[in-house]
Amino acid sequence: CYYPVGNTTYADAGDLGGTLVWLENGKDLTGTCGSRLSWSLTNEGVLTITSSGNKKAAMPDFDTYGENLAPWYHARKLITSVVIGEGINRIGNNAFYNCANLTSVTLPSTLVGIGSGAFEYCRNLTAVELPGTLNSIGSSAFYDCDSLTSVVIPDSVTSIGAYAFYDCSGLTSVVIPDSVTSIEDYAFGDCSYLTSVTIPTSVTSIGRKAFACCFKLPAITIPNSVTSIGGWAFAGCYNLTNITIP
């Protein structure tokens, strides 16, 4: 177990945003997250978060330092898989920040929002299937998830936050649905292996450095709907040889 057996407090950490139950070595680590969510972490590294009775509930927001850390934060290196149960409709800010060994995530059909920094620095996350109920992807949500190779954003999503997929260096293709109206600053910046991106006719603005340093991107089509393109939106795209502008 990551924590001392029999220790029911962790004095140096302060308030971790929930309560913990310390169990004997070989048993699951369990606790609560807010008033309506429970979680457990098995010895195999599976973190499961559930809502009581599968009722709708949002995960609290967390910080990346200080006292308001996710309750599983100090065991984050043990987490290899996350399962978020039905009823949970939002993943809190920084919920899985720097879970460096996380490889897979299962999301519920009730999810409508992913908070800022939710999966930031999850460098071994290889794939994520976003549900068709999702409306928003927060800023830096998948920042530096450099093992992601492709992302299909469902047509329920209306906003992609700044830095949402920044420095996802393994990302090779992105399909942006026609429900999205703006691509925020740095959203796909430094995705150095991105070779294909589809911008739909619903997009009206492309933010500053939105696709900067996408070194392998060979072509881009800007639809007629776009009325503004931020500074350096395609800076450093050295292999960009074909641009279609309305």
Side-chain angles (χ1 to χ4, degrees):
C1 183
Y2 187 80
Y3 295 99
V5 174
N7 185 2
T8 58
T9 63
Y10 193 71
D12 293 338
D15 183 1
L16 299 180
T19 59
L20 298 177
V21 178
W22 306 107
L23 300 178
E24 294 179 3
N25 195 23
K27 301 284 186 70
D28 293 352
L29 183 65
T30 66
T32 61
C33 178
S35 61
R36 295 174 61 181
L37 301 183
S38 300
W39 63 276
S40 65
L41 176 60
T42 69
N43 283 339
E44 290 75 30
V46 180
L47 174 64
T48 302
I49 303 167
T50 57
S51 172
S52 177
N54 291 340
K55 294 178 181 178
K56 288 185 178 180
M59 192 182 298
D61 291 332
F62 305 105
D63 297 327
T64 59
Y65 61 90
E67 296 184 351
N68 186 35
L69 300 170
W72 46 81
Y73 180 80
H74 290 288
R76 66 192 182 281
K77 291 183 180 180
L78 304 178
I79 300 171
T80 58
S81 177
V82 168
V83 178
I84 300 176
E86 292 296 320
I88 297 175
N89 55 23
R90 184 179 180 275
I91 298 173
N93 295 350
N94 305 306
F96 307 106
Y97 176 86
N98 200 19
C99 289
N101 295 314
L102 178 64
T103 60
S104 67
V105 176
T106 301
L107 302 177
S109 63
T110 50
L111 191 68
V112 297
I114 297 176
S116 299
F119 296 97
E120 187 172 351
Y121 296 125
C122 293
R123 294 189 173 103
N124 282 303
L125 183 62
T126 57
V128 60
E129 184 174 347
L130 302 176
T133 52
L134 188 66
N135 292 332
S136 63
I137 300 173
S139 60
S140 301
F142 294 95
Y143 186 109
D144 202 9
C145 292
D146 54 15
S147 292
L148 279 179
T149 57
S150 66
V151 172
V152 177
I153 300 170
D155 59 12
S156 54
V157 171
T158 57
S159 65
I160 301 173
Y163 294 90
F165 295 95
Y166 184 85
D167 201 17
C168 291
S169 58
L171 199 61
T172 58
S173 65
V174 174
V175 176
I176 300 172
D178 58 11
S179 53
V180 173
T181 58
S182 66
I183 300 171
E184 300 297 330
D185 297 350
Y186 298 86
F188 297 96
D190 266 21
C191 291
S192 54
Y193 279 82
L194 186 64
T195 59
S196 174
V197 61
T198 301
I199 301 176
T201 57
S202 58
V203 171
T204 59
S205 65
I206 297 173
R208 184 175 186 267
K209 292 191 174 183
F211 295 95
C213 298
C214 292
F215 302 129
K216 292 186 177 294
L217 188 65
I220 195 76
T221 297
I222 309 295
N224 291 332
S225 56
V226 173
T227 58
S228 67
I229 299 176
W232 301 282
F234 298 96
C237 295
Y238 302 128
N239 287 303
L240 188 58
T241 58
N242 188 348
I243 305 175
T244 302
I245 300 176

